[in-house]
Amino acid sequence: MALACTVTFLSLAHILSAMRLHCELLLPQIPDSTTASKLLGKWFYIAGASQFPFHLLEMVLIDNGYLDVNPTEQEQELLINQHVTVGDKCFSSNSTYLEVSINNATLIKYAKNQRTMGKLMNSSSKEIFLIQYQMHKEKNYTGLYLYARNQNMSKTQLEEFRDHAKCLGLREEEIIYAPWQKKELCQMKETRQTIPQARRPQMQSKDNSEASGAGYQQLTT
């Protein structure tokens, strides 16, 4: 009996050790210029997870959404145009941008004050876009968003997202999947090659809804 317990304990220890190692391998994405260029264009919103209750409520209300990533005059910066459909309304924002930092981690920053809101996470596929964010209210809250080039996700890609969420301490019940049951109301305009106003000191939030709608503040909180 004692031997059986010992074997079971060692097996569990091995599994837990492997899980810790797996989580340690989930590093921030480190793109070169080629990878950065592949971030441009449209990314469909697939799912989100958050420890912050208000964010969970917002995600429940979102019917569909996407990011439109555009180049700027600054090579290390990419402007994010965010669009979500809630019921029969479309909410849009360009208040966040991507920045490739000195250590080559890709950060998500808020345009108004250049505050770092999150970072891109490493993934096995260039067809998915994982964003980890961190916010502080009365305490620190962690969240994770999954975007993809198309809405048809493989089982492996969804499992990878769930693994990332677990490694960040997010529970299964804190994961919300976009239903995509309604027509996409937010139509993407043609991507511009340059955006002169996108230099960080000049960037301003130009939200069509002034971020007042529910289900909107995924990357603007």
Side-chain angles (χ1 to χ4, degrees):
M1 184 67 178
L3 178 59
C5 290
T6 301
V7 172
T8 301
F9 173 79
L10 291 175
S11 298
L12 287 173
H14 175 74
I15 293 173
L16 291 174
S17 175
M19 289 176 63
R20 287 195 296 269
L21 177 61
H22 175 64
C23 290
E24 289 172 359
L25 293 176
L26 303 182
L27 302 174
Q29 197 169 21
I30 305 176
D32 55 22
S33 57
T34 302
T35 305
S37 67
K38 291 182 179 180
L39 295 176
L40 298 174
K42 188 173 185 177
W43 295 88
F44 292 98
Y45 171 58
I46 304 298
S50 179
Q51 295 172 336
F52 191 47
F54 185 68
H55 281 181
L56 286 174
L57 175 61
E58 288 184 329
M59 288 186 283
V60 169
L61 296 174
I62 294 175
D63 293 306
N64 55 65
Y66 66 89
L67 300 181
D68 176 23
V69 182
N70 290 273
T72 73
E73 288 186 335
Q74 304 298 306
E75 292 183 0
Q76 76 277 18
E77 297 172 7
L78 300 174
L79 183 63
I80 301 174
N81 291 312
Q82 179 187 2
H83 309 276
V84 297
T85 299
V86 179
D88 60 351
K89 296 184 181 297
C90 171
F91 300 98
S92 299
S93 169
N94 63 358
S95 61
T96 51
Y97 65 99
L98 294 168
E99 178 183 281
V100 181
S101 65
I102 295 176
N103 62 358
N104 286 330
T106 302
L107 306 177
I108 311 294
K109 291 198 170 185
Y110 191 39
K112 281 186 176 180
N113 54 20
Q114 302 169 37
R115 174 172 57 90
T116 298
M117 304 166 58
K119 57 190 175 184
L120 262 62
M121 301 295 289
N122 195 25
S123 63
S124 62
S125 172
K126 294 180 180 179
E127 298 301 306
I128 63 176
F129 194 132
L130 286 169
I131 298 175
Q132 177 193 347
Y133 72 85
Q134 193 79 32
M135 64 172 292
H136 181 78
K137 294 294 185 180
E138 66 277 7
K139 63 179 182 179
N140 289 325
Y141 293 96
T142 298
L144 185 69
Y145 290 113
L146 170 63
Y147 290 85
R149 285 300 189 187
N150 61 73
Q151 299 169 36
N152 299 317
M153 299 290 293
S154 69
K155 182 178 179 181
T156 300
Q157 290 171 329
L158 290 173
E159 287 179 348
E160 182 175 357
F161 167 69
R162 288 192 288 267
D163 286 344
H164 274 277
K166 289 177 182 177
C167 288
L168 292 173
L170 293 158
R171 303 188 304 273
E172 188 71 27
E173 59 268 28
E174 293 172 331
I175 298 176
I176 307 294
Y177 298 91
W180 280 92
Q181 294 176 343
K182 296 184 178 180
K183 180 181 179 181
E184 183 180 325
L185 298 178
C186 305
Q187 299 300 318
M188 184 173 71
K189 296 180 180 180
E190 184 177 353
T191 301
R192 289 173 289 178
Q193 295 301 312
T194 58
I195 304 178
Q197 298 300 318
R199 296 178 65 91
R200 281 183 292 162
Q202 300 173 353
M203 289 180 73
Q204 298 292 330
S205 174
K206 297 181 180 179
D207 306 347
N208 292 346
S209 63
E210 299 298 330
S212 60
Y216 173 72
Q217 300 179 24
Q218 293 184 81
L219 297 179
T220 59
T221 303

